[in-house]
Amino acid sequence: MGFAAPARAACENLSEQGRGYIVCRFDLSNDALALYWRGADGTPLGSPSRLAEELGAQGKKLIFAMNAGMYDKALGPVGLYIENGRLLHNANTRNGFGNFHLKPNGVFYFGDGKAGVMETSRFLKARINARFATQSGPMLVIDGQIHPKIQPDGPSEKMRNGVGVRDGKIVIFAISTEPVSFHDFAQLFRDRLGTQNALFLDGSISTLYAPPMPGIGGWNSLGPMVGVTEGP
């Protein structure tokens, strides 16, 4: 009698231009991807460990989680956020400071076996009826080109994570295992991972839960997260 292999995220270690990354790929034809923000008690979940506990109570096993977009001091999304078909925060098209406002920013959206990453203005004009969506910024790669404001000699190096999509259904998450520049991170998505559009999710607080891979981050005050589960 055979035994099923333990569930685990489809992740691997990669080295690109001498920098280390963990890359996780999921096929929406088979993998149960969703966004999560608040728990059953209505408060922000805050961490993959609490998300795993809540899903476990539903008979589901969390095999992957990552922070999924920028958030405010109350751990709420600062931009568009749609969870299971419900619009919980409107799109943010204002100007401002910081990475989120380094326009163009973008939206990672998915549901019903399809996914994409798109500039925010395009997404809003297209009126895409997404089951899940989260806005973050800046875009890393736009139609095969690195964001025009991301410079090759940019001096800022931080832990970073982001997402890109291939073939309309293969979702690729990446997180650096060491500080990297925006340009190096964008190049990873364009040149190594082959995503025509990719979105920066955050830096410094970048978090990964993907057993048996070693966890990254360990934060307990995160906003929205993206997760993959197995179970009913």
Side-chain angles (χ1 to χ4, degrees):
M1 184 176 184
F3 293 93
R8 59 180 61 192
C11 300
E12 63 178 330
N13 285 290
L14 288 182
S15 179
E16 180 71 8
Q17 297 184 333
R19 299 301 179 98
Y21 302 91
I22 295 176
V23 174
C24 304
R25 296 175 173 84
F26 299 99
D27 185 339
L28 293 191
S29 300
N30 308 306
D31 296 314
L33 193 69
L35 290 173
Y36 301 93
W37 174 22
R38 297 181 176 131
D41 63 359
T43 64
L45 289 159
S47 68
S49 59
R50 186 178 166 204
L51 174 58
E53 290 175 4
E54 294 240 349
L55 291 170
Q58 303 170 27
K60 298 178 181 179
K61 182 176 182 179
L62 182 67
I63 62 172
F64 167 88
M66 180 178 277
N67 54 295
M70 297 174 186
Y71 53 92
D72 58 25
K73 292 181 179 179
L75 309 186
V78 299
L80 178 71
Y81 185 76
I82 299 171
E83 184 177 311
N84 212 16
R86 296 176 58 215
L87 175 64
L88 300 182
H89 196 282
N90 289 320
N92 182 341
T93 58
R94 298 188 300 271
N95 294 320
F97 299 98
N99 292 329
F100 182 89
H101 296 287
L102 187 61
K103 293 184 175 179
N105 56 30
V107 175
F108 166 48
Y109 63 94
F110 59 94
D112 302 316
K114 300 176 182 178
V117 169
M118 190 179 293
E119 291 179 59
T120 300
S121 58
R122 282 193 199 176
F123 180 86
L124 297 176
K125 288 178 183 177
R127 298 182 178 275
I128 293 172
N129 185 23
R131 186 177 176 191
F132 295 95
T134 182
Q135 183 184 1
S136 192
M139 290 284 287
L140 295 168
V141 184
I142 307 164
D143 295 335
Q145 301 296 317
I146 292 176
H147 190 300
K149 295 177 183 175
I150 294 177
Q151 301 300 317
D153 58 354
S156 175
E157 293 195 348
K158 295 182 179 180
M159 303 286 287
R160 304 184 189 277
N161 70 299
V163 62
V165 176
R166 292 180 60 180
D167 304 323
K169 66 175 184 176
I170 308 299
V171 181
I172 306 176
F173 297 98
I175 185 167
S176 65
T177 58
E178 60 187 290
V180 298
S181 71
F182 258 129
H183 197 269
D184 285 349
F185 198 47
Q187 276 193 315
L188 171 79
F189 276 98
R190 185 190 66 177
D191 300 342
R192 182 71 179 270
L193 304 180
T195 58
Q196 288 291 297
N197 292 278
L199 180 66
F200 180 65
L201 292 176
D202 217 330
S204 298
I205 61 92
S206 298
T207 298
L208 173 70
Y209 172 94
M213 284 284 186
I216 293 177
W219 293 78
N220 59 7
S221 57
L222 297 173
M225 293 175 282
V226 58
V228 176
T229 58
E230 80 158 10

